[in-house]
Amino acid sequence: MGRLENDKTRRVMLLRSLARLTSVPEKDGAASQGDGLGLKCMQLLSFLMKRSPDAEQEVLTVVQEIIVEPLATKQKVEYLPMTTMAALCTFDSSKLTEALKPIVGWLVDM
């Protein structure tokens, strides 16, 4: 099968799975400890993004596809998963602003 780093199809599938798991709400008590599954998955995406410029672009593309685009189509701001948005703040990328453009209106209202 080979290494995951060398198989783009499997790597992107893994990134998409992690991005989907970022919406998992935190259990009671986890919010204060910051160790919910959604937050941990977002932190892992942030870590994986730092491997290289290509990895950064892959992660941001997946985040935009799985997280940002579905949020951009929602009508009500109260459906915004705050855990996901807070975790996005941990991303260290100059390209993040471009990826978040479709939900700028929501971010301003927060």
Side-chain angles (χ1 to χ4, degrees), residues 7-21:
D7 187 345
K8 183 175 180 169
T9 303
R10 289 186 357 202
R11 190 174 57 245
V12 170
M13 187 170 42
L14 173 65
L15 293 174
R16 285 184 176 144
S17 297
L18 285 170
R20 284 186 182 99
L21 287 171

Side-chain angles (χ1 to χ4, degrees), residues 4 34 90:
L4 186 63
T90 66

